[in-house]
Amino acid sequence: MSSPATTPAADPSGNAEYGHKPFKRARSHFADRITADGRDGWPVEAGRYRLVVSRACPWASRALIVRRLLGLEDALSLAVTDPLQDDRSWRFTLDPDGVDPVLGIRYLGEAYRAREREYDGGISVPAIVDVPSGELVTNDYQQLTLDLETQWTGLQRDGAPDLYPERLREEIDEVMDAVYQDVNNGVYRAGFASTQEEYAEAYRALFRRLDWLSERLAGRRYLVGDTITEADVRLFTTLVRFDAVYHGHFKCNREKLTEDPVLWAYARDLYQTPGFGDTVDFDHIKRHYYQVHTGINPTGIVPLGPDLTGWLSPHHREELGGHPFGDGTPPGPPPAAEVIGAAGRP
């Protein structure tokens, strides 16, 4: 999504208010789906759409990982925004002249208003834009990856894994809902709490759920079944940010990820799996959270730690069995233009 709540804040100057008002995550305003049958007017079509992300955002990171695992790089082009926003939100200042070379726009909000002229709500990532019209198609971060997995099958690479197997969907959905409520969203509810009671409630729910996850993963390599699923993708994007930002910046400090042997090994296992760690940019993550969230970090100082080298250390999770990609194969190396810079990786 976008910065703090990532769906709500259209004007990032409002980030100064976080920590001073109750936190509530808004629903995605544009919930059209891109489907094989085009039921919403948006049929799956190679090269027609552009995925817009911030590498800082955990919700956008889901889409980055799924796109890589399924080999959709050639079918769905990628635009990466600056991790820092100005008063018009997500911007393409990483591109030459500050203009996205495919969409021809300076701000993601331009695609929102191409779709709905008077739109004045939040500008969030991930977002998919229709290239021919320049209109936003969807910012529905919950449904977007599920559709990449189930509707884009005709464009997926040979050997793409099934991240949302039909026989396991009920269990996957149950696990994902628990993770979303207490972990994905829970760290934000703690970090942007405006009262001690609100913070304490979110903090306790977060660590109860992390304890539950640690116990669940102690004897199994993945959350559901014996292969990577969408549930693992959704948990990973929070865990990979935990020590870098959530532990200190969001006051989720009962313990660090590195202090839970099971979750730390699980997160390293996924980070070292092609398609996961090669999409993570710790530099973007830290600069966004610490410099944009001025309501809880008014100095804008970005911490130098933590030491990232541990992400590459042996995890030994393979001893639990399981097959990361099931009957499929790992994705190849990322396209040259999408390789994470040295500042963003161990």
Side-chain angles (χ1 to χ4, degrees):
M1 304 176 70
S2 55
S3 80
T6 50
T7 294
D11 178 358
S13 64
N15 291 326
E17 297 181 23
Y18 282 92
H20 304 284
K21 63 179 183 180
F23 172 75
K24 183 178 181 181
R25 189 174 300 285
R27 293 184 177 181
S28 299
H29 181 76
F30 299 95
D32 283 5
R33 297 176 59 192
I34 301 171
T35 57
D37 62 7
R39 69 193 72 164
D40 287 350
W42 308 105
V44 172
E45 185 180 328
R48 176 171 174 177
Y49 305 101
R50 190 156 175 82
L51 174 65
V52 182
V53 303
S54 163
R55 292 193 184 277
C57 172
W59 320 95
S61 290
R62 297 177 180 178
L64 280 168
I65 292 168
V66 169
R67 174 177 171 271
R68 279 273 293 126
L69 293 177
L70 300 180
L72 291 171
E73 292 96 329
D74 291 337
L76 179 62
S77 67
L78 181 68
V80 179
T81 67
D82 193 310
L84 305 182
Q85 303 142 297
D86 66 13
D87 61 354
R88 294 180 63 183
S89 198
W90 298 109
R91 52 188 182 160
F92 297 105
T93 44
L94 301 181
D95 294 305
D97 300 320
V99 176
D100 179 84
V102 173
L103 300 174
I105 58 177
R106 294 183 178 276
Y107 293 89
L108 177 58
E110 295 175 56
Y112 276 67
R113 284 178 282 277
R115 171 70 182 275
E116 189 174 302
R117 181 173 297 180
E118 302 302 322
Y119 180 72
D120 62 356
I123 308 299
S124 68
V125 289
I128 294 184
V129 179
D130 177 50
V131 174
S133 68
E135 295 181 4
L136 179 80
V137 177
T138 180
N139 68 343
D140 189 346
Y141 64 98
Q142 296 284 51
Q143 185 63 43
L144 191 154
T145 49
L146 298 179
D147 283 343
L148 293 181
E149 293 155 5
T150 61
Q151 300 296 316
W152 290 63
T153 53
L155 297 176
Q156 295 172 7
R157 66 179 175 87
D158 292 339
D162 185 354
L163 300 176
Y164 196 47
E166 192 163 359
R167 63 185 178 83
L168 296 176
R169 286 181 189 176
E170 183 176 354
E171 185 178 1
I172 291 172
D173 289 345
E174 290 176 357
V175 171
M176 291 195 304
D177 181 64
V179 168
Y180 171 77
Q181 297 295 339
D182 296 335
V183 181
N184 301 146
N185 209 37
V187 292
Y188 282 88
R189 291 194 297 112
F192 293 117
S194 57
T195 68
Q196 187 71 36
E197 293 75 17
E198 185 184 348
Y199 161 73
E201 180 183 358
Y203 173 100
R204 293 183 182 117
L206 166 66
F207 282 102
R208 278 197 302 269
R209 185 61 63 190
L210 289 176
D211 288 342
W212 178 81
L213 289 163
S214 183
E215 182 178 349
R216 182 182 180 93
L217 288 164
R220 57 192 302 166
R221 192 171 180 184
Y222 304 111
L223 280 172
V224 182
D226 61 358
T227 65
I228 290 168
T229 68
E230 172 82 9
D232 298 294
V233 174
R234 296 192 181 195
L235 177 57
F236 172 79
T237 59
T238 296
L239 294 184
V240 79
R241 288 162 173 76
F242 201 90
D243 287 4
V245 290
Y246 301 144
H247 179 271
H249 184 58
F250 279 179
K251 306 179 185 70
C252 299
N253 60 354
R254 191 191 77 177
E255 62 191 14
K256 297 177 182 178
L257 174 67
T258 55
E259 294 170 342
D260 184 307
V262 172
L263 292 180
W264 175 222
Y266 166 79
R268 297 201 314 279
D269 185 7
L270 291 177
Y271 184 87
Q272 295 170 30
T273 299
F276 282 82
D278 53 29
T279 69
V280 175
D281 191 324
F282 285 105
D283 175 58
H284 280 210
I285 290 168
K286 292 203 302 181
R287 287 196 290 127
H288 172 77
Y289 280 88
Y290 286 103
Q291 292 186 296
V292 171
H293 299 167
T294 55
I296 55 175
N297 188 41
T299 66
I301 293 173
V302 180
L304 297 178
D307 180 4
L308 300 177
T309 55
W311 283 101
L312 303 180
S313 63
H315 54 76
H316 305 296
R317 294 280 294 178
E318 66 279 358
E319 297 171 7
L320 294 173
H323 306 279
F325 303 101
D327 295 330
T329 57
E338 298 180 17
V339 173
I340 304 299
R345 48 189 168 86

